[in-house]
């Protein structure tokens, strides 16, 4: 005969927090012992789910408080199915998982200030002779494949899911699991995943369990999802100049006014998967996931390096405000688009083509969306390109522009900073076929601007090497015929990290005759013979001399509503750590990436974020290749978007305002 445990009066008060551990210390199997026969025992259990953390600046210290920083949301706590998995002291599964139908939710009492609601139910679980009696329990709400969750505790910490919502019965349900947090903000305490069951909380009858009002086991659960809403307001024109050269070499600088037209937004660098249980596992030096969890002291040392002073764990609220997502366990983060290898990286980087074809959301879509928990640690912040490692809102669109007060045009364009006396780059345009004349009336062409900078190409005249002069009609024709503006080939780039938006001046090939390259070792004719210079080496010399422009690509069809130079703005999502008292950043528009703490940026489950662009004033980053992953540039230090981030009940993060 097989006996069952009945778990009486399950009160589910959905508490959304964070915490985890397989290092739970329970004395002598909690005194529960081993089942000598199949038997039925009863436990009274309260399952509580927390509100999401809120919108306030958390007292300017990143520590949200009850009443102001938590938000229950709307329709985000529906329970379709609930499952319980029981464990012994060693973290091994006891019996079968138990499914419970939870109905008639009740409002939480005022004593549970961050708890949203709870449910009551009676459940049963069978154990077998010789099995250890249960000493721990994990609750899963609305799981997709519950059978996969019946793994030992040390294994369940690395089980992942690709989705954080599921649809059924015409509704959207949010998978949830035990809130993982540390029981104290001190000492060598490991995180708790499963909730302990003591011997005096096991009863021989259902009635006894129901009657034991002081023996209720409370389980707090949190959603897998992080919630984010995005909005934008005013777009301010970006004003700079072009440079137009006359045949005598003189130049004028007509004004160029660029207006950004938002098209779509998405969350870039989002983790590809999420853990079914919030993780505090330790990463190894190679970026892999270790079998041990951080102790509280070790985690706090990493999170609050250099006296960060952020209170990221709140045992009183049964939650923590940080976690290690799968993106945390990465050896190297991308510097440029060519570094994005889906087989290695744990994050998604969108291409413009994907967004144009429907990925992401319309730029005016203000409806909150749900994403996977995405956090990174010290390895990412200390990498060559931390900006690409963190979860960020990307806003893509195109530019419409005017030159010297003329009519608005939609065109591809280039920006080039060399020779500019101001911080703003110059704007230049494609050249007409076979010439160096701009395709945009009144503006300068990038070809002519590069040629004015070029000093390494020579011709032989009367036995003397003479530099090509772009102000000479014959020389200009030769240069235009021999050169093109393009992204340099891989063999020219070599080991350099060159973003896909970087274009430069390059020779089209060989066979141009009277062209020599001055490379610091005389004048070299292009070829593979003795005393000559290869085409690759010649193009390297030219690239190194004129450097790079940024190419803002556009569709060739100027009547297309989205024609015009493509660009994006990148907005790292601020987390509670940003609001710690020790953060010396005065504005999110200029992030000092070398002075960030773990926890300053990122998205944690069961937190609600809002990013509000209040003004767009700066110049976005160029999109030149529609098929290339959008990797925020390592060389960009400023964010040109005004925005604020709030974290709700869902824990709500404080407002951040930035002008782009």
């Amino acid at each position: 005969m097989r006996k069952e445990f009945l778990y009486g009066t399950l009160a589910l008060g959905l508490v959304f927090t964070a915490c985890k551990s397989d290092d739970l210390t329970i004395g002598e199997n909690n005194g529960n012992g081993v089942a000598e026969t199949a038997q039925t025992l009863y436990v009274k259990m309260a399952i509580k789910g927390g509100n999401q953390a809120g919108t306030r600046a958390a007292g300017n210290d990143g520590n949200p408080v009850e009443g102001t920083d938590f938000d229950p949301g709307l329709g985000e706590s529906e329970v379709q199915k609930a499952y319980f998995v029981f464990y012994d002291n060693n973290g091994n599964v006891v019996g079968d998982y138990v499914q419970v139908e939870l109905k008639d939710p009740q409002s939480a009492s005022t004593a549970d200030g961050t708890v949203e609601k709870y449910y009551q139910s009676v459940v049963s679980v069978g154990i077998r002779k010789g099995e250890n009696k249960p000493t721990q329990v994990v609750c899963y709400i609305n799981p997709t494949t519950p059978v996969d969750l019946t793994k030992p505790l040390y294994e369940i910490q690395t089980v992942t899911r690709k989705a954080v919502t599921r649809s059924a019965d015409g509704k959207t349900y949010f998978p949830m699991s035990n809130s993982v947090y540390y029981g104290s903000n001190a000492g060598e305490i490991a995180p708790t995943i499963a909730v302990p069951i003591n011997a005096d909380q096991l009863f021989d009858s259902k009635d006894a369990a129901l009657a034991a009002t002081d023996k209720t086991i409370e389980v707090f659960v949190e959603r897998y999802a992080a919630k984010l809403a995005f909005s934008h307001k005013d777009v301010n024109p970006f004003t700079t100049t072009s440079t137009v050269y006359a045949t005598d070499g003189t130049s004028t600088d007509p004004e160029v006014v660029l207006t950004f037209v938002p098209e779509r937004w998405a969350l870039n660098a989002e983790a590809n998967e999420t853990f079914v249980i919030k993780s505090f596992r330790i990463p190894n030096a190679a970026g892999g996931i270790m079998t041990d969890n951080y102790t509280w002291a070790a985690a706090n040392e990493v999170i609050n390096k250099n006296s960060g002073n952020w209170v990221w764990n709140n045992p009183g609220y049964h939650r923590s405000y940080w976690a290690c997502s799968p993106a945390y366990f990465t050896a190297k983060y991308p510097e440029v688009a060519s570094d994005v290898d889906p087989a290695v990286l744990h994050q998604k980087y969108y291409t413009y083509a994907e967004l144009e074809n429907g990925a992401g959301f319309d730029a005016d879509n203000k409806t909150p969306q749900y994403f996977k928990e995405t956090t990174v640690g010290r390895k990412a912040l200390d990498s060559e390109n931390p900006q690409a490692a963190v979860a960020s809102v990307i806003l893509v669109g195109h530019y419409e522009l005017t030159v010297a007060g003329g009519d608005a045009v939609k065109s591809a364009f280039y920006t080039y900073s060399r020779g500019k006396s101001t911080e703003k780059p110059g704007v230049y345009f494609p050249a007409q076929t076979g010439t160096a004349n701009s395709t945009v009336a009144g503006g300068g062409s990038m070809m002519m601007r590069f040629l004015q900078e070029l000093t390494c190409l020579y011709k032989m005249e009367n036995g003397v090497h003479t530099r090509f002069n772009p102000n000479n009609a014959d020389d200009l024709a030769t240069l235009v015929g021999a050169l093109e503006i393009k992204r340099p080939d891989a063999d020219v780039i070599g080991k350099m990290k060159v973003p896909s938006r970087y274009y430069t001046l390059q020779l089209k090939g060989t066979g141009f005759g009277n062209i020599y390259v001055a490379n610091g070792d005389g004048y070299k004719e292009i070829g593979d013979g003795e005393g000559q210079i290869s085409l690759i080496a010649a193009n390297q010399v030219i690239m190194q001399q004129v450097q790079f422009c940024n190419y803002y690509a556009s569709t060739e069809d100027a009547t297309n509503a989205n024609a015009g130079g493509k660009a994006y703005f990148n907005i790292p999502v601020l987390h509670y750590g940003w609001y710690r008292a020790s953060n010396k950043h005065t504005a999110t528009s200029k992030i000092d990436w070398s002075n960030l703490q773990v926890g300053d940026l990122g998205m944690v489950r069961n937190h609600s974020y809002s990013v509000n662009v209040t003004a767009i004033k700066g110049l976005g980053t160029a999109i030149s290749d529609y098929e290339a992953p959008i990797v925020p540039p390592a060389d960009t230090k400023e964010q040109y978007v005004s925005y604020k981030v709030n974290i709700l009940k869902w824990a709500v993060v404080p407002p951040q305002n930035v002008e782009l």
Side-chain angles (χ1 to χ4, degrees), residues 181-203:
Y181 59 96
Y182 291 78
S184 171
N185 288 344
E188 297 296 318
I189 301 171
T192 298
I193 300 173
V195 176
I197 302 172
N198 294 317
D200 62 357
Q201 293 172 309
L202 296 174
F203 299 90

Side-chain angles (χ1 to χ4, degrees), residues 518-572:
N519 68 343
D521 185 27
Y523 303 96
K524 305 292 185 181
E525 192 174 14
I526 300 168
D528 297 320
E530 177 106 16
Q532 295 183 319
I533 187 171
S534 70
L535 179 62
I536 292 173
N539 276 330
Q540 288 174 336
V541 172
I542 295 171
M543 177 182 71
Q544 290 164 2
Q545 186 188 83
V546 302
Q547 294 293 304
F548 301 99
C549 62
N550 291 279
Y551 177 50
Y552 293 73
S554 175
T555 175
E556 294 181 1
D557 180 8
T559 64
N560 187 312
N562 290 337
K566 305 297 184 186
Y568 71 92
F569 291 98
N570 188 70
I571 312 165

Side-chain angles (χ1 to χ4, degrees), residues 282-366:
I282 299 173
N284 62 24
I289 184 169
M290 301 285 282
T291 57
D292 296 328
N293 291 309
Y294 281 112
T295 62
W296 179 89
N300 189 62
E301 183 178 359
V302 171
I303 294 170
N304 279 319
K305 182 181 179 182
N306 300 325
S307 301
N309 301 322
W310 173 38
V311 182
W312 54 271
N313 186 67
N314 190 331
Y317 285 178
H318 307 281
R319 68 175 77 206
S320 70
Y321 305 109
W322 192 245
C324 302
S325 75
Y328 208 96
F329 304 98
T330 300
K332 189 176 182 181
Y333 296 86
E335 295 179 53
V336 293
S338 57
D339 289 340
V340 176
D341 182 355
V344 175
L345 294 175
H346 298 296
Q347 292 161 276
K348 168 65 179 177
Y349 295 88
Y350 284 95
T351 68
Y352 177 81
E354 289 175 316
L355 298 173
E356 184 182 40
N357 291 327
F361 311 94
D362 183 82
D364 293 324
N365 186 337
K366 301 177 182 179

